[in-house]
Amino acid sequence: MMWGALQRKGVLGINRRNARYTLFSNDRSRYPLVDDKLATKRLCSEANIPVPRLLARAGLHREARLLPERLRREASFVLKPARGAMGNGILVIHGDGKGGFLRAGRPIPEEDLVYHAAGIISGLYSLAGHQDAALVEERLEAHLELASLAPGGVPDVRVIVYRGLPVMAMIRLPTLRSGGRANLHQGAIGAGIDLARSRTSHAVLRHRPVSVHPDTGESVVGVGIPEFERVLEIAVHATDRTGLSYVGADVVVDAVRGPVILELNARPGLVIQLATRAGLRPRLDAVDRLLGRHDCDWQQALPVQERVVLGQQIAAEQAG
Amino acid sequence: MSRSVFVTGLLLVAAGLGLLAVKVGVYGIPLVPTETPGPWQVELRIHVRGEGGRGSVRALLPPPSATQSIFDERSSSDRLSFSIREQEENRLGVWTGWLEDIHEIVYQFRIQSRPREVAVPAPGEGEPLSRALRLQFTRPTSALPASAAAVKELLAQLDLPSQDDVAARIRTIYAFVAHEIERIPSAGDDALLTLAHRGGSAEGKERLLITLLRGAGIPARVVRGLELREGVTPEPRTWAEASARGVWIPLSAVHDFFGSRPEAFIELGRGEQPLVEATGVRVVGHRFMAIRESLRPDEIASLLAPDNPVLRKLSLYRLPVPSQAALRVLLLLPLGALTVAFFRNGIGIATYGTFLPVLIALALRDYPLSMGLALVAIVTGLAVFARGGLERLRLLMVPRLSILLCLVVLVVTGLALLGEDVELPDLFAGVVFPIVILTMLVERLYITSAEEGLREALIRAFWSVVVAAGIHPLLRSEIAGYLMFSFPELVIAIVGLLVWIGGYTGYRVADLVRFRALVRDGSGARPS
């Protein structure tokens, strides 16, 4: 019963995602472009796609020891692994104005920063435990219209891009329980976005439907996403650069800079279907019908804006 | 599932099962092991270092008798000639030749032990031993000083029943040695010292028993053999035989039997002949190995040498005992891998690594499940406990994990001591492999707890152990072991099943659970 109901809804299961989309249509040799945030950053910068500014990079333990000195003047920054997964190992740090550092409002000793960077370099947070590099990026700030929705964190928009078309999107709202992180399995809210209307339509918290943010009580359904067209455009544009055909792009709408690509993911999760309350399969199949055979060179044919419109149409048709 | 995947899987499954069907249907190989315990397969491996001249190696070979049948005997030795010599009541295997450097001699046989109760014939029945034999087996020797004063004195004290009731006389002497003489493993083998101290080694007690029997005029002799136990190296055993009205009665004051030897004991020979001896060599060493078969001898014969010459070549039952023992375990691993694939892709359980659960199950194979799980729980508990303390010291990754390994080793050492105290000395007999695997588990646990939090790490460890616990009975199952070993073609069928699982693009059970909210909402209609 359960089975048939999911089937009718067109829910994409993990086996099918792996077999048809992440394994079959994503060229394995291109994974490093998205797994390594530094490579993604370079890729996007070359095409003038906005990304968080890189403040420092430490690939060796002795470079990690130099970090506090280099970062003393910054008002705030984010320390993260270049090849981390699922938001692990990320520290958000503020300057205290006197050359010291604060984490979540409390002072954090310099040694702790160095120790954390050393852990990153040892591969503690990297995908397969390999040697990694610690990156320091500017801290993005939530757009004013979204700031009230996510106290203590920066929400980001996850866009699933398939063969150059945006097919599904949700906004991830950090909660106190998620520790300010925008990861659903850590307790962030996922709110599905209606691609055509640029508004959230449903929301889930830990796989259960919710309508208000547990920390603020504000409604998380029916919220308009600022500059949403631009979000979809840079998601599609960045995906084009990777040569991968099934990608989850994470975009932050920054208060100052507007939409910025945070990272790309070659194995995006499937919980987005819960947040949008829609299955992925009908949309993916519609893209395949529209574009025809898999190996044709369709990407260059259409400008990014037109593909965004196509994606919005497909989403609207499948929803209707 | 695509058509090509379905067909490929089907072909492989059909090939595997088809071969099995042919072996069962045409060549009559039994599909399941019989209930009755089958014969033992025993291997004697002798290593000698020669002196560079002619020499010989002699070993007692099991004699066929009413209580044990021997079949499928084989010997292999490099550059030595082999012959069997009958010597009085013993069968001696003799390997002779030019002995230099190291020679390895392997002698294998299958043996079915069928002990039965030997009754003493009623007076007047039975055929007494010949006078010569009677003399031979009542004669005092240096090892069996039956005429010593101490022996005579004790026999007088024992107040033996009359000469007519031989059975009662034997029983009285047996009861004395069994109950009044203490067993002291470190004591010597001398019969008189054992008597004087009222205690001696196993050998000493049996010698005293025989000495006393001879002293009382009852023919008695030493029997040498092995005790075979599953999963344990065969132990050399000595016991006694006493003749009552021409019938030899097996008895042992150490292993507590009278009239019928235990099924686990097999005979190798009689008298003072050692199990293995050699001349013209510098060093000689030997080792027994045994595995239990789960089939009747005739069924083994069909596996060992089927009518078909190709099958005969492919029969794993022809291999030496150690290779067989290793292959029996190895051939179970595909079943474990199949289980993991099913749990991960069919159910959607997240485990550590792909095959860690198989390795955990394999590591714990020699323990009962409860003990294995306790071991895992103790080791992981320790890792979680130590994690807190190590976190504070801010050590780098590799030394930190190495410290954990040291802690695991310490704990296992402690448990081994504990095992000794609660008389479970076998608990940590083969401990190296489990340690390696458990340390791997701890390492994964540690990394995951750093990356994704302790909760997630423990959940994943829990599921890994659950899957391992699911595989564990398979690895211990006699039927599974028999099937995979007798029909290795089943591996092909398993590959077919794995092709199916790999091509399965339907939902996992975990998907159904995860997306249940989508279904509950039912209509699929969108609120505006």
Side-chain angles (χ1 to χ4, degrees), chain B residues 184-202:
Chain B
I184 304 162
S186 58
D189 297 342
D190 188 86
L192 289 181
L193 282 177
T194 302
L195 179 58
H197 294 137
R198 291 290 192 271
S201 66

Side-chain angles (χ1 to χ4, degrees), chain A residues 3 11 15 88 112 124, chain B residues 345 394 451 504 507-508 512:
Chain A
W3 186 286
V11 169
N15 282 337
N88 295 315
D112 281 20
L124 200 52
Chain B
N345 283 28
R394 310 215 166 135
E451 285 180 359
Y504 170 72
Y507 297 120
R508 298 176 179 180
L512 301 184

Side-chain angles (χ1 to χ4, degrees), chain B residues 381-426:
Chain B
L382 168 91
V384 172
F385 176 73
R387 177 179 171 270
L390 286 176
E391 196 79 351
R392 239 163 274 148
L393 291 178
R394 310 215 166 135
L395 306 177
L396 292 176
M397 187 77 164
V398 175
R400 203 160 34 165
L401 288 173
S402 309
I403 290 172
L404 275 179
L405 172 80
C406 296
L407 287 175
V408 171
V409 168
L410 272 182
V411 163
V412 169
T413 312
L415 284 177
L417 285 173
L418 200 70
E420 188 64 37
D421 279 345
V422 297
E423 310 213 327
L424 275 170
D426 289 340

Side-chain angles (χ1 to χ4, degrees), chain A residues 1-3 5-7 9-16 18-20 61 86 88-89 111-112 115 118 122-127 129 181 185-186 194 197 201-202 207-209 270-271 273-274 276-278 281 283 319-320, chain B residues 1-2 344-346 348 390-398 400 446-448 450-453 455-456 460 501-509 511-528:
Chain A
M1 185 200 80
M2 191 79 190
W3 186 286
L6 287 188
Q7 195 92 300
K9 209 119 190 158
V11 169
L12 182 64
I14 204 158
N15 282 337
R16 198 177 177 83
N18 291 348
R20 282 292 173 79
H61 286 282
M86 296 184 291
N88 295 315
E111 314 77 271
D112 281 20
Y115 176 64
S122 306
L124 200 52
Y125 306 101
S126 81
L127 285 167
R181 291 193 270 192
H185 79 273
Q186 281 159 340
D194 183 328
R197 296 196 183 98
S201 55
H202 311 273
H207 297 186
R208 280 191 207 93
L270 296 167
V271 185
Q273 300 175 107
L274 271 177
T276 54
R277 221 173 280 186
R281 281 182 66 182
R283 302 190 186 187
Chain B
M1 194 183 301
S2 76
R344 285 177 65 112
N345 283 28
L390 286 176
E391 196 79 351
R392 239 163 274 148
L393 291 178
R394 310 215 166 135
L395 306 177
L396 292 176
M397 187 77 164
V398 175
R400 203 160 34 165
Y446 201 76
I447 292 176
T448 311
E451 285 180 359
E452 293 168 45
R455 202 182 112 90
E456 179 65 30
R460 215 174 290 177
I501 294 182
Y504 170 72
T505 52
Y507 297 120
R508 298 176 179 180
V509 175
D511 286 335
L512 301 184
V513 174
R514 192 148 65 130
F515 293 115
R516 66 184 183 279
L518 270 179
V519 175
R520 207 176 288 142
D521 130 72
S523 63
R526 295 160 55 89
S528 58

Side-chain angles (χ1 to χ4, degrees), chain A residues 223-284:
Chain A
V223 178
I225 308 296
E227 298 187 61
F228 187 58
E229 304 266 322
R230 174 78 182 140
V231 169
L232 295 181
E233 279 170 24
I234 65 167
V236 168
H237 195 178
T239 305
D240 282 356
R241 301 278 304 160
T242 63
L244 292 167
S245 72
Y246 183 82
V247 168
D250 294 345
V251 184
V252 171
V253 187
D254 185 70
V256 182
R257 300 180 59 197
V260 171
I261 291 280
L262 194 60
E263 62 175 87
L264 301 175
N265 198 319
R267 315 165 194 79
L270 296 167
V271 185
I272 190 170
Q273 300 175 107
L274 271 177
T276 54
R277 221 173 280 186
L280 267 166
R281 281 182 66 182
R283 302 190 186 187
L284 299 174

